[in-house]
Amino acid sequence: MFDFDMLGLAPTLNTALQKAGFNEPTPIQNEAIPLALDGHDILGLAQTGTGKTLAFGLPLIDHLLSRQGKPAPKSVKALVLAPTRELVNQIAESLRGLMGDTHLRIGTVVGGQSINRQINFLSRGTDILVATPGRLMDLMDRGAVDLSTVQHLVLDEADQMLDLGFIHALRKIAPALGTPRQTMLFSATMPKQMEELSRAYLNNPKRVQVSPPGKAADKITQSVHFLDRNRKGDKLREILSADRDALTLVFGRTKHGCEKLMKSLVADGYNAASIHGNKSQGQRDRAIKAFRDGTTTILVATDVAARGIDIPGVAYVINHDLPETPDNYVHRIGRTARAGREGEAISLCSPEEVGLLGQIEKLMKIDIPVASGSRPAASEAEKPGRRGGGGGGRGRGRGQGQGKPQSAGKPGGQARRRRSRRAA
């Protein structure tokens, strides 16, 4: 059964969707695509892994297919901005697969790659440009790109694009764009202040929300282990050893901590790699490819990967360190249970991080089930946000706390399953 043809897309796109195995639109696609095809500005909110890229990409391509003529030199017809290199590449890859043999051109500009090569590509003009804000501004400063012809603007992971790390870049880029234009903002989370800020870029937008902001996908099984910080290394290895062949994404808080953790896992015989801001783009691309192919089964990452990896086979997300921003927890665990699959999100929480856990549970309006240990009393927990550990050194003890766990289950459970713009 093929249901995309009910949305009013061009026949070329319906054919491409069928070849790619997409038969039925997801809720966010079903609601957003007809509105976007009608030219409305869109504020779209949906869980990670629910098809937001196609929700904006399909109407974007449809609009461009209806217009004849090649783009003028240095010009851009549609601009997609995303916060990380990985997400830019992922978006471009998804859209390129739908464009097939059409006349449309798509390109990417990100930091960490040859700017001269990007200048050469842009000199011929492009229909769709997917970019990180920092590198795009570099190209604007060099006069390498003309954004006055942009008729469509998309902000993916809009909450982060409107945050302090990128808002200054956005305020410089937006006035250079063509008007009138269609603007679409998509994200899994949207704090109130960010939504208010978004109004400056939207014109009478249609709000499309298919799940409450901050809600994780239904097929993600969540749990938390309470333990001392110096015991995290042992607990992590216990979980990893329970299912060594599963694709597992491990999140740390700092670049140095992630690298140290990865090296300690490799030294202990685990098949691990890492990605973070200190890695070159080539190193990051190779690590993700190896993880996607299953050559590497464990990927240790900072939040650079929280929004930039779409690998359906990821069975586990393990928070070795809880994120300091609760929204990032939602994005992190959204790397599993993608495309209708099941997955498991496991958090290791030290006393110093109990406050961070509370913020996450408040955002998600849930109590995350306890797999082992017991939640420290308020007097035991230090002030939230204290930076700790990240190295994953192996503690001598293997105790998991005293107290009866609130929910039982062996490791792995039933699934078997700074944001500086220049850093992008």
Side-chain angles (χ1 to χ4, degrees):
M1 181 178 181
F2 184 73
D3 292 334
F4 274 100
D5 55 5
M6 303 297 292
L7 299 182
L9 293 164
T12 301
L13 281 174
N14 285 330
T15 300
L17 286 165
Q18 286 182 300
K19 287 183 178 179
F22 295 105
N23 295 314
E24 184 178 355
T26 65
I28 186 67
Q29 293 164 2
N30 198 52
E31 292 194 31
I33 288 174
L35 293 171
L37 288 174
D38 286 341
H40 293 287
D41 283 9
I42 304 291
L43 177 58
L45 300 175
Q47 300 160 349
T48 57
T50 55
K52 293 191 293 296
T53 301
L54 293 191
F56 66 74
L58 287 170
L60 197 63
I61 296 171
D62 189 279
H63 283 301
L64 295 175
L65 285 174
S66 66
R67 299 171 193 148
Q68 298 302 314
K70 295 182 179 180
K74 296 186 180 182
S75 71
V76 176
K77 294 183 179 180
L79 175 63
V80 181
L81 293 175
T84 68
R85 306 170 193 173
E86 285 73 25
L87 187 52
V88 164
N89 292 334
Q90 175 187 298
I91 292 169
E93 182 181 353
S94 297
L95 299 186
R96 193 174 286 116
L98 297 172
M99 290 161 60
D101 297 326
T102 68
H103 65 276
L104 301 181
R105 284 167 52 86
I106 184 170
T108 62
V109 293
V110 299
Q113 294 183 351
S114 169
I115 194 168
N116 290 328
R117 188 176 300 167
Q118 293 169 356
I119 290 172
N120 181 57
F121 174 84
L122 290 171
S123 68
R124 292 167 285 171
T126 187
D127 294 282
I128 302 174
L129 182 65
V130 192
T132 53
R135 176 51 62 92
L136 181 59
M137 287 181 63
D138 290 339
L139 291 162
M140 291 171 64
D141 292 341
R142 295 182 183 219
V145 61
D146 176 12
L147 299 180
S148 66
T149 55
V150 170
Q151 296 179 308
H152 304 274
L153 171 66
V154 177
L155 301 186
D156 198 14
E157 303 297 351
D159 60 334
Q160 189 170 355
M161 298 304 298
L162 294 169
D163 205 351
L164 291 176
F166 294 100
I167 189 62
H168 298 300
L170 188 58
R171 284 172 175 158
K172 179 177 179 180
I173 293 168
L177 305 179
T179 55
R181 65 174 178 270
Q182 180 185 44
T183 301
M184 294 185 278
L185 277 59
F186 282 83
S187 187
T189 59
M190 183 61 71
K192 190 173 191 292
Q193 64 272 28
M194 294 296 102
E195 184 170 350
E196 291 172 352
L197 192 58
S198 73
R199 301 294 170 176
Y201 301 93
L202 296 166
N203 179 29
N204 192 25
K206 299 294 184 180
R207 182 186 175 99
V208 178
Q209 180 176 326
V210 297
S211 64
K215 187 179 185 298
D218 294 334
K219 292 189 177 182
I220 300 177
T221 301
Q222 300 179 64
S223 63
V224 59
H225 296 266
F226 289 107
L227 70 176
D228 289 340
R229 185 169 55 198
N230 62 2
R231 292 177 175 172
K232 283 189 176 186
D234 279 337
K235 174 54 73 174
L236 175 63
R237 287 161 173 79
E238 180 185 329
I239 296 169
L240 294 175
S241 296
D243 197 352
R244 277 184 175 263
D245 295 330
L247 291 186
T248 303
L249 187 54
V250 180
F251 280 103
R253 186 175 299 138
T254 68
K255 294 177 285 188
H256 173 74
C258 285
E259 190 67 11
K260 183 178 178 182
L261 175 57
M262 180 274 291
K263 289 179 178 178
S264 71
L265 289 173
V266 171
D268 284 347
Y270 292 91
N271 185 7
S274 66
I275 62 170
H276 48 72
N278 283 348
K279 296 279 189 177
S280 71
Q281 187 59 45
Q283 290 173 317
R284 287 158 67 163
D285 290 344
R286 288 190 293 273
I288 289 178
K289 183 180 185 301
F291 187 58
R292 187 186 301 276
D293 295 343
T295 308
T296 297
T297 56
I298 301 168
L299 188 63
V300 185
T302 59
D303 281 325
V304 71
R307 303 169 185 251
I309 294 182
D310 182 13
I311 300 175
V314 174
Y316 301 98
V317 169
I318 301 176
N319 291 298
H320 182 272
D321 302 313
L322 290 179
E324 294 183 336
T325 303
D327 285 346
N328 282 352
Y329 175 87
V330 179
H331 291 284
R332 284 182 179 187
I333 70 173
R335 299 310 99 198
T336 187
R338 299 183 74 82
R341 292 172 170 82
E342 294 183 341
E344 187 158 355
I346 304 169
S347 296
L348 309 182
C349 182
S350 65
E352 298 87 353
E353 297 173 303
V354 170
L356 298 176
L357 179 66
Q359 294 171 23
I360 291 166
E361 292 177 323
K362 181 179 179 180
L363 171 69
M364 302 186 72
K365 297 180 173 59
I366 63 169
D367 290 328
I368 298 175
V370 178
S372 71
S374 56
R375 187 187 299 262
S379 59
E380 298 178 55
E382 297 180 18
K383 184 177 180 180
R386 170 177 167 181
R387 291 185 179 272
R394 302 190 67 174
R396 295 184 180 276
R398 299 188 68 89
Q400 309 306 328
Q402 302 303 313
K404 184 179 180 180
Q406 296 177 23
S407 66
K410 59 184 178 181
Q414 55 183 303
R416 279 296 156 239
R417 334 231 173 268
R418 114 171 169 144
R419 217 179 280 148
S420 165
R421 65 177 180 85
R422 298 290 178 187

